[in-house]
Amino acid sequence: MADTAIQIGELSRRTGCNIETIRYYERIGLMPAPPRRGRYRSYGAADVGRLGFVRRARELGFTLDEVRALLGLAAGGGASCAEVRVLAAAHLGDVRARIADLRRMERVLADSVRACDAGQDPGCPLIDALYAEPRLPQTAR
Amino acid sequence: MADTAIQIGELSRRTGCNIETIRYYERIGLMPAPPRRGRYRSYGAADVGRLGFVRRARELGFTLDEVRALLGLAAGGGASCAEVRVLAAAHLGDVRARIADLRRMERVLADSVRACDAGQDPGCPLIDALYAEPRLPQTAR
DNA sequence: CTTGACTCTGTAGTCGCTACAGATCGTATC
DNA sequence: GATACGATCTGTAGCGACTACAGAGTCAAG
């Protein structure tokens, strides 16, 4: 089982990772340079696993550097779980901060659209909001 | 009042937009090329207003192309409010989609960290999750 | 007259891909 | 044998939105 040497196209199909991206990962050292059959890259089951790992980590929003670190820890095995936890918790913090940012944006945008629908303002609520100056609360002009 | 010709550093200070970015905006045509006093750029109150507008729109997550469009509509005045609404509503949709993505990430990450803290698993929960293959739900192996 | 703060232009780097161009390879068909 | 096709190869350049230099010039105060 799994004496399956596959080409890059098949690896792409199995992982959902596009071909150019696979070669890019190889260039930056995230995927190892595979052996060649002729001049075509020849991949095995381990590559499918590793690339799937990369792809799923990316879907969770880890940067490529973080993915690199995770791969290192995954290879290490054993005591690395604590270190993985640190990485994941830090990244979770990032994600939550980004959510908070986006929610602030959402609120302002939704308010503006609502004000626009209400149609009470003389001008355009969003344009007005963008021209406002929250930087100098008083001090007249 | 406001016969104030200011230099780029002062514009930067007043808008919170960094100097290199101001020059960048000029290069890409988002800000007009100001007159020069000697060879230094000389800005006025209108520039402070426009750049503030750009910055606030960026804080709401609009792309530079969208900001360009908003600036055009803001200048147009009058009937443009409906068009602004369209832009804002579309962007609001984007923001909400990004929030949804991030929440999915948050959930998975938080689950993994929690599983990690529980410490019941034999391996590392996050590493295991990244190695899992949600692409083939059954089909054994 | 020198120091220091400011500004200038131009170019290159960041991140994570994506999109070519143009060559080469392997197989199937006429 | 010729040829067409699909897949792959290398190498380079582009995206968005900045950011970070290097190296030159400008200006006012001490």
Side-chain angles (χ1 to χ4, degrees), chain A residues 126, chain B residues 62 66-67 69-70 73 82-92:
Chain A
L126 178 58
Chain B
F62 287 100
E66 289 168 331
V67 175
L70 286 172
L73 292 173
E83 300 175 69
V84 171
R85 211 211 91 111
V86 170
L87 270 180
H91 180 54
L92 179 55

Side-chain angles (χ1 to χ4, degrees), chain B residues 7 16 25 47 65 67 69 74 88 114-115 135 139:
Chain B
Q7 291 189 330
Y25 286 165
D47 298 301
D65 270 356
V67 175
R114 225 175 303 114
R135 199 159 299 277
T139 322

Side-chain angles (χ1 to χ4, degrees), chain A residues 2 13-16 45 48-50 52-62 70-71 73-75 80-82 84-85 88-89 91-92 95-96 98-99 101-110 112-114 116-117 123-127 129-135 141, chain B residues 1-2 13-16 48-50 52-62 70-71 73-75 80-82 84-85 88-89 91-92 95-96 98-99 101-110 112-114 116-117 123-127 129-135 141:
Chain A
R13 241 164 283 125
R14 290 201 200 170
T15 57
V48 178
R50 188 181 174 99
F53 183 101
V54 171
R55 226 179 78 84
R56 282 182 286 272
R58 291 287 302 134
E59 276 167 7
L60 290 180
F62 287 100
L70 286 172
L71 282 166
L73 293 174
S80 58
C81 185
V84 170
R85 210 211 91 109
H91 180 54
L92 178 55
V95 168
R96 286 184 168 148
R98 282 198 279 154
I99 290 174
D101 279 355
L102 286 167
R103 301 255 274 201
R104 269 190 296 277
M105 298 180 197
E106 187 198 8
R107 201 162 352 104
V108 177
L109 287 167
S112 295
V113 170
R114 224 176 302 116
C116 193
D117 289 340
C124 176
L126 178 58
I127 296 292
L130 290 173
Y131 267 124
E133 312 179 43
R135 200 158 298 279
R141 140 119 36 169
Chain B
M1 68 193 73
R13 240 164 284 124
R14 289 202 201 170
T15 57
V48 178
R50 186 180 174 100
F53 183 102
V54 171
R55 226 179 79 84
R56 280 182 289 271
R58 290 288 303 133
E59 276 168 7
L60 289 180
F62 287 100
L70 286 172
L71 281 166
L73 292 173
S80 59
C81 184
V84 171
R85 211 211 91 111
H91 180 54
L92 179 55
V95 168
R96 285 184 170 148
R98 283 198 279 153
I99 290 174
D101 278 356
L102 286 167
R103 301 253 276 200
R104 269 191 296 278
M105 297 180 198
E106 187 198 10
R107 200 160 357 100
V108 177
L109 287 166
S112 295
V113 171
R114 225 175 303 114
C116 194
D117 289 340
C124 177
L126 178 58
I127 295 293
L130 290 172
Y131 266 125
E133 311 179 43
R135 199 159 299 277
R141 142 112 45 165

Side-chain angles (χ1 to χ4, degrees), chain B residues 5-65:
Chain B
I6 57 172
Q7 291 189 330
I8 200 169
E10 181 59 22
L11 179 59
S12 168
R13 240 164 284 124
R14 289 202 201 170
T15 57
C17 183
N18 124 7
I19 291 182
E20 321 262 34
T21 305
I22 296 172
R23 286 196 284 249
Y24 168 70
Y25 286 165
E26 180 182 326
R27 240 181 5 258
I28 63 168
L30 199 66
M31 290 292 289
R36 304 286 180 121
R37 274 214 210 241
R39 35 196 83 165
Y40 291 2
R41 289 169 178 81
S42 174
Y43 296 98
D47 298 301
V48 178
R50 186 180 174 100
L51 186 52
F53 183 102
V54 171
R55 226 179 79 84
R56 280 182 289 271
R58 290 288 303 133
E59 276 168 7
L60 289 180
F62 287 100
T63 66
L64 290 183
D65 270 356

